[in-house]
Amino acid sequence: MDAKDILGLPKTPLTAPQEKKSRPQKDSQRKPDGISREVYALTGGLAPLMPAVDVSQLKRRPQSDEKVTWQWLPFTSSARTDNLQLYHWVRVVNGVPPTGDYSFAKYNKSVNVVKYTDEEYEKYLTDPTWTREETDQLFELCERFDLRFIVIADRFPSSRTVEDLKNRYYSVSRAILVARAPSSGDVSGHPLVKEPYNVSQEVERKRALSMILSQTKQQERKDAEVLAEAKRITEARIAARGAEESDMPVASNVSPESNEKNIIPVETVSPSSNVQIPPTTVAPPTSTADDISTLNSLRGMRVYLRTYALEQMVQAASSSAGLRTIKRVEQTLQDLGVNLKPKVPTKSVCAEHLELRKEILTLLNLQKQLQYKEAEGSSHRDGSYAETPGTPKRSHRTGEQDRTFIPDSISFGGERVGKRDQKRKAPAPPSPAQSKRPRKLKASD
C-alpha cells in the first residue's frame, strides 16, 4: 500500500528517467612520485617554481667500486706556527685518506706590520714622548694581535690610551713608507699616506658617541623636538626665499634701458596719414609677464637643467615673433659666430645669451620698420604733387601760382586713388583765345 492507494489515485507506470547530460571526462592524471597528496591537490598539477629533487637520486647508491668510510685522523694547519696536531673526522674513499693542507687554513689572514732598522729609527722615528723600547713593544703586540688595539692597550705595559697607540703606530708606518719610497708620488695613493690618522677627530668622535649612548628617553625626545622645529624653520625660510626670488625678476626686467631697447616708438608716423602699420613691423614689447610665468613654472620643478631653463626663456621671449623671424635670429647668431646653445651654460652666460637674442630680435624689427618707412616716403614723393595741363604757372616776378598742390589722398586700406581721380576729373585744355584773356584777380590775390 502506497500513497496513491491512500489518496485513491490511479496507478500509472513510472515515466522513463531523463537521460543525464554527458559530462566531459576529465583526464585522469597520476600523482607523481615524491609529492604528497595534499601538496598535489593544492598545486593542481602545476609545475613547481623550484626544481624538485628526484627520489631516485636520493636512493642512489654509490658505485660498487667505491668504498667510503669515515675515519678519525690527525691533521696540522699551516696557519699555526707551533705544529699543533689535532684530530677530526675525514671522509676516506677506498682506504686513501685526503692529502694537502687543512681546508680552513686559507682563512687565516695576517697584517703585514712594517719593520724598521736602528738607523731608520734614529733618522726618522725619534719622538720625545716615546722611547725605543715602547715602540718595539707596540709593534710586537700589533703583529701578535693583528692591530686589535683594544687588546694591545690591555697588554701594553705602560698606561697609554688607545688613541696614543694608534697615533704612534700609524705615524711610524707612514714615515717608514715615505722614507723608503724613491719619490713621494709612488706612495701618494697608499691608505696610510693618503688618509693620515687624526687623534683629535677620533677623540671627538668617541666623546660624541658616548654622549649619544648615555642619553635618556627624555633627552632623546627633546632632541627630536628640536630637530623637528629646525626642519620647520628651514622649510619656512626656503619658502620665503622662493617668494622673494619670484618677485625679483619683476624689478630687474622692467628697466628703462630694456624698454628703450625692446619698445619701438611709433610717434614717428605722421598723424595725418591713415596708413595702417602691419603688426609684424612693430617690435614686440618686453615679455616680462612671460619671463615671470616661465620662472615660476621652473621653480615648481625644484630641479632642472640651466639649458632647459634657457630654452624656456628663449621661447617666451620669441613667442610673439614669427617662424621666419626666429630663423633669421638663429642665422644672425651663426653669422656672429655664437653657438645656438652655450657650451658653458653658467648663469651669467645664459643671461647674456638671452639678452643678445632679444637685441637681435629688436634689430630685425627695427629694420622692418625702417624699410616700411622708406617705402612710405617714396610713395609720398612720387604721388603727392601732380601738375595738370592748362593750369596757370606762377611767375617768379609777380609771385603768381604756376601749379596747384593736390594732396595724395590715401584710403583706409592703404590704396592711393589721387592720380586716378586727377586724370578722370582734369579739365579740357583751353582754347587759344581763352589763354590770351587776362585772368581776373580774386580778392585773395
Side-chain angles (χ1 to χ4, degrees), residues 68 111 331 411:
V68 179
V111 180
Q331 183 63 33
S411 66

Side-chain angles (χ1 to χ4, degrees), residues 41-54:
L42 290 174
T43 57
L46 298 176
L49 297 177
M50 298 296 294
V53 179
D54 193 1

Side-chain angles (χ1 to χ4, degrees), residues 272-332:
S272 61
S273 63
N274 296 326
V275 182
Q276 293 183 354
I277 301 176
T280 56
T281 59
V282 182
T286 308
S287 57
T288 306
D290 296 340
D291 293 348
I292 296 172
S293 61
T294 305
L295 290 174
N296 293 333
S297 62
L298 291 174
R299 284 194 192 92
M301 298 173 62
R302 291 289 181 183
V303 179
Y304 56 88
L305 295 176
R306 187 170 282 117
T307 53
Y308 176 77
L310 179 62
E311 291 178 359
Q312 298 298 321
M313 297 294 289
V314 169
Q315 291 179 4
S318 59
S319 59
S320 59
L323 183 60
R324 295 181 60 184
T325 306
I326 296 173
K327 289 183 177 180
R328 289 185 63 187
V329 171
E330 295 178 354
Q331 183 63 33
T332 306

Side-chain angles (χ1 to χ4, degrees), residues 99-293:
T99 58
D101 194 9
Y102 182 53
S103 58
F104 291 94
K106 60 184 178 181
Y107 298 108
N108 182 42
K109 303 296 181 182
S110 58
V111 180
N112 296 325
V113 179
V114 178
K115 301 291 184 180
Y116 52 86
T117 61
D118 298 339
E119 182 181 358
E120 289 176 341
Y121 185 88
E122 295 294 334
K123 191 174 181 180
Y124 305 109
L125 308 178
T126 55
D127 192 347
T129 59
W130 282 81
T131 61
R132 173 65 184 273
E133 290 76 12
E134 288 180 338
T135 306
D136 294 342
Q137 290 176 357
L138 173 63
F139 273 76
E140 182 182 355
L141 292 174
C142 288
E143 185 177 4
R144 179 181 175 185
F145 295 108
D146 291 336
L147 299 183
R148 295 179 180 90
F149 285 98
I150 300 296
V151 182
I152 294 170
D154 183 66
R155 301 294 194 277
F156 202 71
S158 60
S159 58
R160 296 277 188 175
T161 61
V162 178
E163 289 77 16
D164 292 340
L165 298 176
K166 284 185 177 181
N167 187 29
R168 180 59 176 169
Y169 170 76
Y170 288 122
S171 61
V172 169
S173 301
R174 184 172 62 255
I176 293 297
L177 289 174
V178 173
R180 291 178 181 177
S183 62
S184 59
D186 296 340
V187 293
S188 60
H190 197 278
L192 295 177
V193 180
K194 187 177 181 180
E195 299 176 359
Y197 180 73
N198 193 346
V199 182
S200 60
Q201 182 179 359
E202 183 71 11
V203 172
E204 183 64 22
R205 183 186 68 84
K206 288 187 176 182
R207 187 193 64 80
L209 182 60
S210 62
M211 184 179 64
I212 292 175
L213 294 177
S214 61
Q215 281 183 345
T216 60
K217 294 293 183 181
Q218 295 179 356
Q219 292 176 348
E220 291 179 358
R221 194 179 301 109
K222 289 181 180 179
D223 292 345
E225 292 176 357
V226 170
L227 291 176
E229 184 67 17
K231 183 178 180 181
R232 186 186 65 79
I233 293 173
T234 304
E235 291 178 353
R237 289 179 178 177
I238 291 174
R241 190 181 300 113
E244 292 177 359
E245 290 178 356
S246 63
D247 297 338
M248 286 294 291
V250 179
S252 61
N253 289 336
V254 182
S255 60
E257 296 179 358
S258 61
N259 291 336
E260 291 177 2
K261 291 180 181 178
N262 297 325
I263 300 179
I264 304 302
V266 195
E267 288 78 3
T268 56
V269 182
S270 175
S272 61
S273 63
N274 296 326
V275 182
Q276 293 183 354
I277 301 176
T280 56
T281 59
V282 182
T286 308
S287 57
T288 306
D290 296 340
D291 293 348
I292 296 172
S293 61

Side-chain angles (χ1 to χ4, degrees), residues 61-81:
R61 295 182 178 180
Q63 299 179 4
S64 58
D65 56 348
E66 290 184 0
K67 185 178 180 181
V68 179
T69 58
W70 291 87
Q71 298 180 12
W72 184 256
L73 298 177
F75 73 96
T76 57
S77 176
S78 62
R80 303 185 65 92
T81 57

